Amino acid sequence: GLELGALGGVRVGGLVQRAPCLGLVSAQQSPGAHSVQSGLGPKVPEAAKQEGRQGPGRRSWCSRRRKAPATTAIMDFQACERAGVEDTGSPRPLPTAPDRLLLVKNIQLEDGKMIPAAHFFGRADSSALELTEEELGTAEAVRGAWKRILPSVLEVDESTDFFKSGAASVDVVRLVEEVKELCEGLELENEDVYMATTFGDFIQLLVRRLRGDDKETEGPIDYVEKAVNKLTLRMPHQLFIGGAFVDAEGGKTYETVNPTDGSVLCQVSLAQVSDVDKAVAAAKDAFENGLWGKISARDRGRLLYRLAELMEQHQEELATIEALDAGAVYTLALKTHVGMSVQTFRYFAGWCDKIQGSTIPINQARPNRNLTMTRREPIGVCGIIIPWNYPLMMLSWKTAACLAAGNTVVIKPAQVTPLTALKFAELTLKAGIPKGVVNVLPGSGSVVGQRLSDHPDVRKIGFTGSTEVGKHIMRSCALSNVKKVSLELGGKSPLLIFADCDLGKAVQMGMSSVFFNKGENCIAAGRLFVEDSIHDQFVRRVVEEVGKMKIGNPLDRDTSHGPQNHLAHLQKLLEYCQRGVEEGATLVCGGRQVPRPGFFFEPTVFTDVQDHMFIAREESFGPVMIISRFADGDVDAVLTRANATEFGLASGVFTKDINKALYISDKLEAGTVFINTYNKTDVAAPFGGFKQSGFGKDLGEAALNEYLRVKTVTFEY
């Protein structure tokens, strides 16, 4: 039978196939407007309207989206040579209508089988496998299994369709298990049966698996290899589009740098606008036509669980790459950068089959009755733009929820930290995530991020980064196609420390609130307000603890403070501290670059910081503690000062008075309030900001809403 799939673009100049059949192809002006071509030019039957119409022995399909009226006609494929068909890889003008393009999307055979995907030319050019005597014996044994499962079928031949012969989902499991017994433990997936439904196709798939030359295995990957941390790292460095690692348009690359010593780690492909278009097209095709949208939500969760397991198996490699590419302290990267990423995918894998709508009582249209229900559906292609401070974890926070909801994604990692995102892409292949579902494009924000924000086929942007860039993305999303958008932006999180607190714990947590991950932490306490009576004691103990911090190579197990992420950020921190000194704040310690190779900056403490100063208002995003006093007992005054900012990402309070803690938590204008702790985030707890720190949530059930749309369906009966 003919198998003609989405060819990309073909010119149909005559007859197409050796075997006689009735085919259905799609011609379109715009995505979703389908028509059928007969002979050399379109012929429109009267029955061709905006809905499917079936005639004797043939069918016509039209527009799915109703954007433009679609015309339909029938193409007859007679016994002939493959003359007049040219695989061009792009749409081509119709011979009789040069202003129209013919894009072949699907083909339906006389037996009713519809073939998707671009398999036609590849399969036609390679004949079916010729089976050995041993393989013929295996095929007969499997034929016997089909007969046992399909007792109503008198004879199982090459064209016998498993499901049209009465098989149900439980029979899929039985067939997989029968094959395992007959073929010495060969492990098939349920999806294999769904994708090879006829006996002939199933045997071909089975023999390829037995020979180990299945064409669906992952292709070659060009790794950069490095022996470091008692490991041999194998790091992909190309773009990841449609399930393959490929060079950028024009072969463009850039250097990614190790912040520990300033050396070049490797050359990374630099995505261009055309690469973004290819990645979005791959994601769109995977969403609309691929296996991802056809498998059950539970199977989708199973794939995400498998991905989490692979990430855990590769945790040492991933943490080492984070240390090399982002300057993350290795031990912290194991626990947080990688550890929380694994937890995030496990958490959202469990949500896949629990995304539910509701039934709603409405007024009845008497004498009839009505039923209204809602469905929570995936949005489509999502663009995710992530920052450089937690490269893998920020990717995971957004991507896990996005995939759990059933979307496909194009990920733009930060240009300075692309390597864990590309390693993650490799792991999605190993996990069996279908091709095109995940795409990764290292590159600049002005090119890749801008094109994702502008692209008409991207339906959602998730962004973590600066408020300035977030506003620009929001504007682009509005002007392009009113994309859904969620933003996690800048912060200047206040931490209030009262005299009635556990001072030892307040010092410990105050240190962590500022210096955790070298201060490159979105919820870092940007300003500490310390009650007057304990201010001097608190500062003295903090300075003592700063002196104990070990600054050094992030791969050393005793290092507590590694290099800043990149050179430009180090320079900004130097300028930030210089401005604080110029405005009259007291520099107690730090404020300088460490005299050694790399981008190391001393942990810094400022006191006597007044509300009008630049360092009191603006985020450093580095290891800089800003301390201000407040009068004993003046709760409302310090609350006013803490809220006098346009940011509202996080906040904290240390006190033993539960009434005071609850009162302050009510009044603080921030998306997260920590009480007698700090930095305590969890995959189950929603995370996001107020005011100019953005809107929308990562983590928790609330994050799913960012990647779903609600559809209302009303019946009358």
Side-chain angles (χ1 to χ4, degrees):
L2 177 68
E3 295 190 11
L4 178 60
L7 306 181
V10 298
R11 183 170 60 238
V12 181
L15 302 174
V16 174
Q17 174 69 12
R18 294 188 297 272
C21 65
L22 174 66
L24 178 70
V25 297
S26 308
Q28 61 183 46
Q29 264 186 313
S30 59
H34 296 272
S35 66
V36 182
Q37 164 77 1
S38 178
L40 294 177
K43 182 165 56 180
V44 185
E46 293 181 2
K49 302 297 182 185
Q50 279 289 323
E51 58 187 11
R53 180 77 176 257
Q54 187 168 341
R58 53 179 65 181
R59 296 180 187 174
S60 299
W61 270 258
C62 297
S63 175
R64 296 180 190 171
R65 299 188 182 180
R66 299 177 183 260
K67 284 187 176 179
T71 60
T72 67
I74 300 300
M75 175 185 287
D76 292 306
F77 300 105
Q78 305 295 337
C80 65
E81 297 294 327
R82 190 186 295 156
V85 180
E86 178 186 351
D87 183 8
T88 67
S90 59
R92 296 296 298 270
L94 293 179
T96 58
D99 61 327
R100 299 287 299 278
L101 296 179
L102 176 66
L103 179 63
V104 177
K105 295 291 291 181
N106 295 297
I107 187 79
Q108 186 175 36
L109 309 184
E110 281 186 316
D111 64 4
K113 186 175 182 180
M114 179 73 80
I115 306 295
H119 289 165
F120 173 61
F121 282 106
R123 290 196 177 187
D125 290 340
S126 59
S127 58
L129 294 178
E130 185 173 338
L131 275 55
T132 64
E133 288 296 326
E134 182 180 356
E135 290 166 347
L136 287 169
T138 300
E140 288 306 309
V142 174
R143 192 190 305 272
W146 277 53
K147 288 180 179 179
R148 291 190 294 275
I149 296 172
L150 306 171
S152 61
V153 177
L154 298 177
E155 186 64 35
V156 174
D157 58 27
E158 299 297 296
S159 63
T160 300
D161 188 285
F162 194 65
F163 297 102
K164 291 181 180 178
S165 300
S169 58
V170 68
D171 298 312
V172 173
V173 178
R174 178 179 170 184
L175 178 58
V176 169
E177 291 302 310
E178 292 243 22
V179 167
K180 187 187 297 185
E181 289 188 359
L182 293 170
C183 301
E184 300 179 349
L186 178 67
E187 295 275 358
L188 292 182
E189 301 286 346
N190 291 357
E191 287 81 7
D192 294 327
V193 183
Y194 290 109
M195 298 304 289
T197 60
T198 66
F199 182 74
D201 288 345
F202 185 78
I203 291 299
Q204 290 287 308
L205 178 145
L206 184 63
V207 170
R208 284 193 169 90
R209 292 290 172 85
L210 289 169
R211 292 182 182 181
D213 62 354
D214 179 25
K215 291 188 176 180
E216 294 302 315
T217 57
E218 61 187 72
I221 300 175
D222 182 20
Y223 293 105
V224 171
E225 294 193 0
K226 284 190 177 294
V228 62
N229 200 26
K230 298 181 180 180
L231 299 169
T232 299
L233 301 181
R234 305 182 75 219
M235 301 179 290
H237 61 102
Q238 298 167 290
L239 312 182
F240 185 69
I241 299 175
F245 286 97
V246 297
D247 288 335
E249 180 74 23
K252 294 189 177 181
T253 63
Y254 71 98
E255 296 176 345
T256 187
V257 174
N258 183 347
T260 300
D261 57 12
S263 64
V264 175
L265 285 169
C266 63
Q267 295 286 329
V268 178
S269 293
L270 181 67
Q272 305 299 303
V273 169
S274 59
D275 297 312
V276 179
D277 293 342
K278 292 172 187 174
V280 172
K284 185 171 185 285
D285 185 62
F287 180 77
E288 294 180 349
N289 305 311
L291 181 62
W292 188 244
K294 297 180 176 66
I295 62 175
S296 70
R298 195 158 296 158
D299 285 338
R300 187 165 68 244
R302 182 172 55 83
L303 289 173
L304 295 186
Y305 275 123
R306 186 185 301 169
L307 178 57
E309 290 297 318
L310 283 166
M311 292 171 69
E312 188 168 57
Q313 290 170 22
H314 289 262
Q315 62 180 336
E316 292 182 354
E317 186 176 12
L318 289 166
T320 302
I321 296 173
E322 291 278 75
L324 291 178
D325 204 25
V329 172
Y330 175 74
T331 51
L332 177 64
L334 274 177
K335 179 183 182 295
T336 302
H337 295 63
V338 180
M340 195 171 187
S341 299
V342 173
Q343 293 175 23
T344 302
F345 272 97
R346 284 205 177 112
Y347 174 81
F348 283 107
W351 268 111
C352 288
D353 60 354
K354 301 169 188 68
I355 298 172
Q356 303 165 358
S358 58
T359 56
I360 303 170
I362 65 169
N363 290 335
Q364 308 292 345
R366 294 181 293 181
N368 293 338
R369 299 179 64 81
N370 293 94
L371 171 67
T372 291
M373 66 177 188
T374 59
R375 298 177 58 182
R376 299 171 74 197
E377 299 179 341
I379 295 171
V381 179
C382 300
I384 290 178
I385 304 171
I386 56 177
W388 43 258
N389 57 327
Y390 294 104
L392 183 63
M393 192 175 78
M394 293 293 98
L395 178 154
S396 299
W397 281 19
K398 288 175 166 51
T399 303
C402 175
L403 296 180
N407 301 286
T408 57
V409 65
V410 180
I411 300 168
K412 192 208 101 52
Q415 187 171 354
V416 292
T417 54
L419 295 182
T420 43
L422 293 171
K423 190 66 182 180
F424 168 82
E426 179 193 351
L427 296 181
T428 67
L429 282 180
K430 294 181 182 296
I433 305 292
K435 295 176 181 179
V437 172
V438 174
N439 306 270
V440 180
L441 300 178
S444 70
S446 60
V447 174
V448 180
Q450 185 63 59
R451 180 56 180 157
L452 284 173
S453 301
D454 291 338
H455 203 293
D457 289 330
V458 175
R459 295 295 171 185
K460 160 69 196 273
I461 291 289
F463 172 74
T464 295
S466 72
T467 297
E468 179 184 5
V469 175
K471 290 178 179 180
H472 182 82
I473 287 174
M474 193 174 176
R475 186 181 304 111
S476 296
C477 289
L479 294 176
S480 56
N481 58 347
V482 196
K483 290 176 180 64
K484 189 173 184 178
V485 61
S486 54
L487 304 172
E488 194 244 285
L489 307 176
K492 188 67 174 175
S493 302
L495 176 57
L496 281 56
I497 300 175
F498 287 87
D500 61 359
C501 72
D502 178 336
L503 187 58
K505 187 175 183 181
V507 170
Q508 175 194 357
M509 288 294 176
M511 292 280 294
S512 174
S513 75
V514 175
F515 300 124
F516 188 83
N517 196 45
K518 311 162 295 175
E520 296 168 355
N521 187 22
C522 49
I523 57 172
R527 192 175 181 193
L528 278 67
F529 294 90
V530 182
E531 199 161 11
D532 220 359
S533 59
I534 61 167
H535 174 273
D536 293 347
Q537 185 181 2
F538 178 85
V539 172
R540 183 175 64 254
R541 293 180 63 170
V542 163
V543 172
E544 290 174 359
E545 292 301 315
V546 168
K548 299 174 185 177
M549 294 175 68
K550 168 69 183 305
I551 302 172
N553 189 324
L555 290 173
D556 292 344
R557 302 307 190 261
D558 61 344
T559 293
S560 56
H561 187 81
Q564 304 308 135
N565 187 276
H566 52 281
L567 179 59
H569 183 50
L570 172 65
Q571 292 169 339
K572 286 183 179 179
L573 289 175
L574 292 168
E575 294 169 3
Y576 183 91
C577 291
Q578 180 62 34
R579 185 157 180 181
V581 171
E582 291 172 354
E583 290 188 344
T586 301
L587 178 62
V588 179
C589 63
R592 298 181 299 271
Q593 182 176 357
V594 179
R596 58 174 290 167
F599 312 140
F600 291 86
F601 186 77
E602 295 177 344
T604 300
V605 176
F606 276 102
T607 60
D608 302 318
V609 178
Q610 305 303 312
D611 294 353
H612 68 276
M613 293 180 180
F614 176 82
I615 62 173
R617 296 180 285 106
E618 297 298 327
E619 180 181 31
S620 72
F621 211 67
V624 182
M625 182 178 285
I626 307 296
I627 301 176
S628 299
R629 297 172 179 266
F630 70 93
D632 289 343
D634 202 346
V635 175
D636 288 326
V638 74
L639 273 172
T640 299
R641 295 171 69 192
N643 286 329
T645 172
E646 274 299 300
F647 300 112
L649 190 56
S651 59
V653 55
F654 278 83
T655 176
K656 292 179 181 178
D657 185 336
I658 186 64
N659 293 317
K660 185 191 297 180
L662 288 172
Y663 175 77
I664 291 172
S665 70
D666 284 346
K667 297 295 183 180
L668 283 171
E669 298 170 359
T672 295
V673 180
F674 298 109
I675 299 176
N676 294 327
T677 188
Y678 209 88
N679 285 327
K680 182 56 180 172
T681 55
D682 188 88
V683 295
F687 178 90
F690 294 168
K691 300 189 283 189
Q692 291 196 46
S693 288
F695 53 84
K697 297 295 182 182
D698 291 324
L699 304 179
E701 181 183 2
L704 291 169
N705 296 327
E706 305 299 330
Y707 299 95
L708 293 166
R709 61 187 182 189
V710 177
K711 177 183 289 183
T712 301
V713 181
T714 298
F715 297 85
E716 187 163 317
Y717 59 99

